[in-house]
Amino acid sequence: MSYGERPRLLVVANRLPVSSKKTGENSWSMEMSPGGKFNLLGGVTDQYDTKWVGWPGFDVYNEVEKTALSKSLAQMNCIPVFLNEVFDQYYNGYSNGIIWPILHHMGLPIECHHDENKTFQTQYDAYKKANRMFLDVVIENYEEGDTIWCQDYHLMFLPQYLKEYNNKIKVGWFLHSPFPSSEVYKTLPSRSELLRSVLRADLLGFHTYDFARHFVSTCTQILGVEGTDEGVVDQGRLTRVVVLPMGIDPDRFISTCKLPEVIQQMNELKEKFFGKKVILGVDRLDMIKGIPQKYLGFEKFLEENPDWRNKVVLVQIAVPTRDAVPEYQKVRDQVHGLVGRINGRFGSISSLPVHHMDCSVPSNYLCALYATADVLLVTSLRDGLNLVSHEFVACQESKKGVLILSEFAGAGQSLGAGAILVNPWNVTEVSSAIKEALTMPAEEREERHRVNFQYVITNSAEKWGGDFLRYSPKKKEHFDDFLQNISSLSELNDAFAESEMKIRSTPHELPQRDMIQRYSQSNHRLIILGFCGTLTEPMNTQNEELNLKLNPKLKGTLKALCNDPKTTVVVLSRSGRNILDKVFGEYKIWLAAENGMLLRDPTGEWVTNMPENMNLDWVNGVKNVFKYFTDRTPRSFFEANETSLVWNHEYAGVKFGKTQARDMLQHLWAGPISKASVDVVRGNHSVEVHAMSETKGAAIGRILGEMMHKISMTTPIDYVFCSGYLLEKDEDIYTFFESEIVPSKLSHETRSKSSSSNIMKNQISPNVLDLKKENYFSVAIGQTRSKARYVIDSTQDVVDLLHKLAIADTTTMANTVSNSELHQRLAMETRI
């Protein structure tokens, strides 16, 4: 390739993205197929000199006509593959009759032994032959340096054939369908050959993490290869696996809705359905689109809501696909029967509740339907992505209708924040969702639409193609095996949570007067505080990002405590040191970031406080998963620190945030942390991954050991106040200071610290801690069950309590200012 030339890209798909019409002898007219997946790559085709390779859509046997058609297609940058006699067994037989049902969790069809043309083996042979025919055309047009991008399950042998021809060819393969679990896929007779072939590609792409995870785990189980967070490794060779949900060209749909012709069609539709809400369905008429389930849900809605019977209409576009196939005919007949039944039960001569069309419609008219509809109802039983949902959102800029979306559609993970997710098999749930959509307040509709519209315009087809072609390895190291038994892990986590609950009890009300009196009588106090939810200012749930700040009411109080020579204050947080430095930079305070992995003394010097030989290879893999879910969960965010990562969905929708967190945990356990030395903590609104055993309780011993080396401790600690709004896992800090376990724990931790620091044991004072049980106050915030001894209601109680401690020591006040003066100073600093 010469300097300044665009790199060449050959996109190889079963079907060319053009419609050809014969206009005369050896002459053809061409136009891009409306709505085709591969003609939506606008920006990619601008950056690359792109050629399309595929079947033209019909058979051509005459060589003269083949030449004429090829010349016409060349003007559209298209190169035909003439499959002719092999097409039926390749496409209708093996591709759609065997592979497609497996990918969609439908299982293998019954093999026909009476017709030699319909046996698995003859169809398999035709499939391989067709892939060879695609190879021949690619080789004829290949130039050194070209990138070959193979599309979908029709071409699973092509990556292998290309690499056998030239191992240096850059090959990518993208699956636009779901990929099933290994238990389903392993029923395929040619399972190993197909997997090994696609693994010859350099890069494999899937729409969702579920599909990618299923693929990698299937490879590990069937082929015995190694799964990593980056992909699949076979005999030292890595095939990268990436998750890249496809999008649409949103600008095309938005601009189409503004065309005079489309506006006229919209007005006609509004007039036709005047006074009625319009529910729209746009699907292929096949087994996985769930059209029967849609009609059953709509029928139940009409049964249970008689007031709506003349106020709503369901318009269903059912595009025929394979009318000659018996299974498709059964679905068509079932659908037609349901339409007749619903219209017969709830319709009249002047009004029908269902308008069903077995046909495709022009793209402009489809946009008018999208823009006019109040609700789009998608009830797919298994779908790779479902771009219809994206198209609807793009056309709803004015009306802001509601999207009801099957949880089994790949788009559910991307558009679920703004959609109503349903299980299409649950007819009652579908019915309830229809009612919720039709009665949804305008404000909620607009907010849901805003969320999904932002996703659709950001994650376009152009971005999808560009991301796939630009994707490159970020690191060479491999991680541990991908495969993990998620069910067993869930059971283990449940069992652990149950045993932990048995240990936790109902804490008592805090005896404040006794606590303050003992504080004033002690000689060396240690105050250990959490940060988020303990010392932070009240949070506004409308904020889009978490901006942690110290509660302004605590500024003077905290400064007084930190300046008291008899008091040591430690803030122990899961937050990173940058956040803690920003908030507490002006205070003479001990800061323990990332649960004590990093420690700052009152002079401002940070030291690493990690255990030896800590492995952090898992961090980048976890960061990729967190970024994926952040992009698809509006108003969520994640924080990456040196030894931990936290994904927060507090400001996302409650239901969708929890759903995404559940999915994220599956992908984490099955991927980058499958055998890494990490702990995963599921909070009410967060998922955190951090180095193994780094809870607050595990860290406090090392922190005390570091404090002993930093300061001259002449007086042992005889009073401890420990409080925070803590995760259950971190509540082991409360039990650390219980009198019966302190000696052994502290001795073990300080010995460990001394050993790692090459400090002799006799340099550590044996009188670091002289804590009586009545001088230890562990206080949970707002927890009905806790390992802490006591409980207070809220962070405001923390403010009040710390304020009382700051003015409790009359001896200190006598050496500085009067009691009333201290009150005034604290109040003044609070206002500043």
Side-chain angles (χ1 to χ4, degrees):
M1 182 177 67
S2 304
Y3 177 78
E5 289 184 1
R6 291 181 300 167
R8 276 177 39 110
L9 170 68
L10 297 183
V11 180
V12 189
N14 169 69
R15 179 75 181 267
L16 290 174
V18 298
S19 298
S20 305
K21 183 178 181 181
K22 194 170 184 178
T23 56
E25 186 176 355
N26 301 329
S27 63
W28 306 80
S29 66
M30 306 284 169
E31 64 177 1
M32 297 299 289
S33 301
K37 291 174 182 169
F38 309 119
N39 62 339
L40 301 178
L41 300 180
V44 174
T45 55
D46 291 339
Q47 299 169 30
Y48 287 80
D49 179 8
T50 306
K51 308 292 183 184
W52 310 89
V53 179
W55 181 58
F58 47 86
D59 295 334
V60 180
Y61 294 92
N62 184 284
E63 292 300 323
V64 176
E65 286 192 351
K66 285 183 180 180
T67 302
L69 177 60
S70 297
K71 288 182 178 179
S72 297
L73 287 170
Q75 298 175 11
M76 306 287 290
N77 290 321
C78 291
I79 304 167
V81 179
F82 298 108
L83 298 173
N84 296 340
E85 68 280 350
V86 79
F87 176 79
D88 183 62
Q89 291 188 53
Y90 146 71
Y91 181 77
N92 294 316
Y94 199 78
S95 293
N96 287 327
I98 296 177
I99 299 180
W100 186 89
I102 289 289
L103 295 179
H104 290 84
H105 282 244
M106 297 174 63
L108 278 174
I110 298 176
E111 184 174 11
C112 179
H113 294 283
H114 303 294
D115 188 342
E116 292 184 359
N117 293 326
K118 294 184 178 180
T119 65
F120 286 174
Q121 186 60 48
T122 55
Q123 292 175 343
Y124 178 61
D125 292 341
Y127 181 84
K128 291 198 294 184
K129 182 177 181 180
N131 274 244
R132 288 280 184 191
M133 296 168 76
F134 275 93
L135 171 72
D136 293 340
V137 174
V138 171
I139 291 175
E140 288 176 10
N141 294 273
Y142 175 76
E143 296 179 6
E144 185 176 353
D146 287 357
T147 297
I148 313 297
W149 191 5
C150 308
Q151 306 292 332
D152 227 356
Y153 58 91
H154 312 89
L155 299 172
M156 293 182 73
F157 273 116
L158 189 55
Q160 175 182 323
Y161 294 162
L162 287 167
K163 288 292 186 176
E164 288 173 350
Y165 167 72
N166 183 347
N167 195 45
K168 294 183 179 180
I169 294 180
K170 293 178 288 185
V171 180
W173 181 78
F174 195 95
L175 181 65
H176 294 271
S177 299
F179 196 92
S181 66
S182 58
E183 294 303 314
V184 175
Y185 181 85
K186 66 173 55 174
T187 62
L188 188 63
S190 52
R191 60 192 187 184
S192 298
E193 294 87 344
L194 290 171
L195 289 177
R196 289 201 179 279
S197 177
V198 295
L199 285 176
R200 293 295 300 274
D202 302 292
L203 181 64
L204 306 178
F206 297 86
H207 281 308
T208 74
Y209 260 106
D210 283 336
F211 305 157
R213 175 167 53 87
H214 285 161
F215 175 80
V216 175
S217 64
T218 298
C219 288
T220 60
Q221 291 190 45
I222 293 178
L223 302 181
V225 295
E226 177 188 3
T228 77
D229 80 305
E230 292 186 286
V232 178
V233 179
D234 185 12
Q235 299 180 348
R237 181 185 181 276
L238 171 67
T239 299
R240 296 183 63 80
V241 175
V242 297
V243 178
L244 294 170
M246 192 177 182
I248 62 171
D249 179 3
D251 292 336
R252 183 172 74 87
F253 286 90
I254 294 171
S255 60
T256 299
C257 288
K258 297 176 182 178
L259 295 175
E261 174 193 347
V262 176
I263 294 174
Q264 176 62 29
Q265 292 170 337
M266 290 165 58
N267 291 333
E268 292 172 358
L269 288 168
K270 290 176 183 177
E271 183 178 350
K272 178 179 179 62
F273 298 119
F274 179 76
K276 296 183 178 181
K277 295 285 188 178
V278 178
I279 302 173
L280 178 64
V282 180
D283 306 277
R284 292 195 316 272
L285 184 54
D286 63 29
M287 292 84 73
I288 67 163
K289 292 301 182 177
I291 298 178
Q293 285 73 16
K294 182 183 304 186
Y295 280 140
L296 289 171
F298 184 60
E299 182 179 39
K300 187 170 184 63
F301 169 75
L302 294 177
E303 286 177 352
E304 297 180 343
N305 300 274
D307 292 345
W308 277 98
R309 289 177 185 174
N310 292 315
K311 299 177 182 178
V312 63
V313 60
L314 172 56
V315 178
Q316 176 65 50
I317 308 298
V319 181
T321 49
R322 301 170 67 198
D323 287 339
V325 177
E327 288 80 5
Y328 286 74
Q329 294 172 353
K330 290 179 182 178
V331 174
R332 181 194 62 199
D333 294 342
Q334 182 185 11
V335 166
H336 290 175
L338 287 169
V339 171
R341 187 172 81 189
I342 295 171
N343 283 339
R345 290 183 63 191
F346 304 109
S348 65
I349 295 176
S350 60
S351 176
L352 294 176
V354 177
H355 291 242
H356 180 95
M357 293 179 282
D358 282 335
C359 62
S360 59
V361 297
S363 58
N364 284 5
Y365 189 70
L366 181 60
C367 287
L369 281 169
Y370 282 144
T372 306
D374 298 278
V375 178
L376 179 75
L377 182 54
V378 178
T379 52
S380 305
L381 307 181
R382 180 69 57 175
D383 229 344
L385 192 62
N386 193 287
L387 292 176
V388 165
S389 56
H390 290 237
E391 295 170 358
F392 171 75
V393 170
C395 293
Q396 281 282 320
E397 190 173 11
S398 175
K399 196 161 192 176
K400 298 175 175 57
V402 182
L403 172 63
I404 301 176
L405 186 57
S406 167
E407 63 186 53
F408 300 118
Q413 202 170 81
S414 301
L415 298 180
I420 300 174
L421 294 177
V422 295
N423 175 1
W425 294 101
N426 188 333
V427 175
T428 301
E429 188 174 314
V430 175
S431 171
S432 299
I434 292 173
K435 184 174 182 179
E436 180 183 353
L438 293 175
T439 60
M440 185 176 291
E443 184 178 353
E444 183 180 350
R445 284 204 327 268
E446 290 173 5
E447 175 59 21
R448 286 175 177 265
H449 172 75
R450 183 193 65 79
V451 167
N452 280 348
F453 187 74
Q454 183 61 41
Y455 179 86
V456 169
I457 62 174
T458 302
N459 295 274
S460 63
E462 177 182 340
K463 182 179 184 297
W464 165 76
D467 287 348
F468 187 89
L469 295 171
R470 287 192 296 269
Y471 207 97
S472 59
K474 296 181 179 179
K475 49 187 287 186
K476 294 182 180 179
E477 309 93 83
H478 293 157
F479 294 125
D480 295 307
D481 290 344
F482 218 106
L483 187 60
Q484 189 66 272
N485 189 325
I486 294 175
S487 175
S488 298
L489 284 169
S490 299
E491 292 170 7
L492 180 61
N493 289 337
D494 291 343
F496 175 77
E498 184 178 348
S499 65
E500 282 288 291
M501 185 58 71
K502 292 177 182 177
I503 299 173
R504 302 168 83 211
S505 59
T506 303
H508 301 287
E509 183 179 351
L510 176 65
Q512 289 197 22
R513 180 172 295 183
D514 182 54
M515 174 187 170
I516 295 168
Q517 183 179 358
R518 291 186 179 280
Y519 177 89
S520 62
Q521 295 171 352
S522 59
N523 298 309
H524 188 178
R525 306 85 168 231
L526 175 63
I527 298 177
I528 303 173
L529 301 168
F531 175 44
C532 187
T534 307
L535 302 177
T536 50
E537 66 179 350
M539 299 180 189
N540 177 6
T541 57
Q542 297 303 314
N543 290 343
E544 297 221 356
E545 295 183 359
L546 185 62
N547 186 16
L548 296 175
K549 295 181 180 178
L550 179 67
N551 191 321
K553 297 180 180 179
L554 279 173
K555 290 184 177 180
T557 298
L558 193 59
K559 189 166 290 186
L561 290 171
C562 293
N563 290 338
D564 183 354
K566 295 172 62 176
T567 303
T568 300
V569 182
V570 178
V571 173
L572 179 52
S573 173
R574 290 183 174 272
S575 296
R577 61 179 175 183
N578 292 335
I579 291 177
L580 297 186
D581 253 340
K582 180 180 178 181
V583 176
F584 298 101
E586 63 182 284
Y587 298 93
K588 296 178 181 179
I589 194 172
W590 287 87
L591 300 177
E594 300 188 36
N595 264 6
M597 292 287 196
L598 304 166
L599 189 64
R600 196 201 79 166
D601 64 27
T603 67
E605 180 185 356
W606 283 94
V607 296
T608 300
N609 197 34
M610 303 180 193
E612 292 183 345
N613 303 319
M614 178 173 287
N615 188 332
L616 299 176
D617 284 348
W618 49 269
V619 170
N620 281 341
V622 172
K623 190 179 295 184
N624 289 336
V625 175
F626 277 16
K627 184 179 185 305
Y628 174 87
F629 279 93
T630 298
D631 291 343
R632 283 148 188 82
T633 311
R635 303 177 75 179
S636 70
F637 59 93
F638 75 92
E639 177 188 349
N641 300 312
E642 280 94 334
T643 63
S644 66
L645 295 97
V646 183
W647 181 72
N648 190 297
H649 60 87
E650 180 174 4
Y651 304 124
V654 175
K655 183 178 179 181
F656 185 64
K658 289 182 177 179
T659 299
Q660 294 289 76
R662 184 189 65 229
D663 290 347
M664 173 188 284
L665 287 170
Q666 289 188 353
H667 299 311
L668 288 172
W669 281 120
I673 63 169
S674 58
K675 291 185 180 179
S677 297
V678 299
D679 281 333
V680 178
V681 180
R682 172 76 182 272
N684 288 334
H685 305 290
S686 64
V687 174
E688 176 178 358
V689 182
H690 59 82
M692 181 69 77
S693 299
E694 280 317 302
T695 62
K696 289 177 169 60
I700 192 63
R702 293 200 317 276
I703 293 171
L704 291 176
E706 187 65 36
M707 290 170 61
M708 288 190 309
H709 296 293
K710 286 282 186 178
I711 61 176
S712 177
M713 193 175 293
T714 58
T715 305
I717 297 169
D718 59 353
Y719 179 97
V720 174
F721 168 49
C722 179
S723 182
Y725 184 77
L726 305 181
L727 296 171
E728 180 181 332
K729 194 177 187 70
D730 284 331
E731 286 202 340
D732 57 353
I733 193 173
Y734 293 143
T735 59
F736 182 90
F737 286 100
E738 296 292 347
S739 59
E740 66 270 21
I741 60 174
V742 163
S744 61
K745 272 201 173 184
L746 186 58
S747 173
H748 168 76
E749 294 286 349
T750 52
R751 280 200 304 270
S752 174
K753 181 66 184 178
S754 303
S755 173
S756 64
S757 304
N758 296 319
I759 298 174
M760 300 298 293
K761 266 195 290 184
N762 59 14
Q763 291 180 277
I764 301 176
S765 169
N767 299 317
V768 173
L769 198 65
D770 182 20
L771 182 64
K772 296 180 180 179
K773 190 171 184 178
E774 57 268 24
N775 272 13
Y776 174 50
F777 296 87
S778 56
V779 184
I781 302 174
Q783 300 291 328
T784 56
R785 298 186 68 86
S786 172
K787 294 178 183 177
R789 293 182 175 184
Y790 307 107
V791 66
I792 54 180
D793 291 334
S794 66
T795 55
Q796 181 57 45
D797 293 330
V798 177
V799 174
D800 296 339
L801 197 56
L802 291 177
H803 184 82
K804 292 174 182 178
L805 294 180
I807 62 175
D809 193 342
T810 55
T811 303
T812 301
M813 289 189 295
N815 294 329
T816 53
V817 295
S818 68
N819 198 339
S820 61
E821 288 174 329
L822 184 56
H823 271 291
Q824 294 173 1
R825 182 174 300 175
L826 290 176
M828 182 180 298
E829 293 192 23
T830 297
R831 288 194 297 268
I832 294 176

